Structure formats: C-alpha cells, structure tokens
Amino acid sequence: MPLTPAFEASVYKSRREEVLRRMRETAPGPALAIFPGMPVATRNSDVEHAYRAHSDLYWLTGFE
C-alpha cells in the first residue's frame, strides 16, 4: 500500500532550502549537516522494534 505524504513535495523542498540558507549564513565555506539516527529499540531484552527515523528527518525531507 503506497503512503501518501502529509504535504506536497514543494513544502519539503522549501524547508530544505531554508536549512541550506541558514547554513550558508552561519558558515560561509563548505558545511555539513548531520542528522543523528534513532537507535534500534529493544523490547524484552531480545525483540527489536522496526526501525523508525527521527521525526526531524521526516519534517525536513518527507522520507519515512
């Protein structure tokens, strides 16, 4: 079953452009943005939950 994004692709594009704009203001030279991943969650000491990316990554990119 395909997932429907919460917003149009243009919303995510404008968010990414805003992040890049702010990065250029902060560091005029080459810059790198690092988005740490969520750790794998373990239940009952031996069962791993399905991986879920951090909500900030979804907010910025729309990627699940």
Side-chain angles (χ1 to χ4, degrees):
M1 170 186 283
L3 298 174
T4 304
F7 300 102
E8 295 291 324
S10 61
V11 172
Y12 299 111
K13 183 177 186 240
S14 65
R15 289 176 180 173
R16 291 190 301 270
E17 288 170 349
E18 179 65 15
V19 168
L20 291 174
R21 184 188 68 76
R22 290 183 186 199
M23 287 175 64
R24 287 185 195 105
E25 287 177 357
T26 304
L32 177 70
I34 298 175
F35 299 93
M38 298 289 288
V40 174
T42 305
R43 185 183 87 201
N44 299 336
S45 300
D46 63 351
V47 177
E48 294 180 350
H49 290 278
Y51 179 77
R52 178 185 171 278
H54 193 279
S55 298
D56 288 346
L57 183 64
Y58 180 74
W59 179 88
L60 182 64
T61 64
F63 300 145
E64 292 187 24

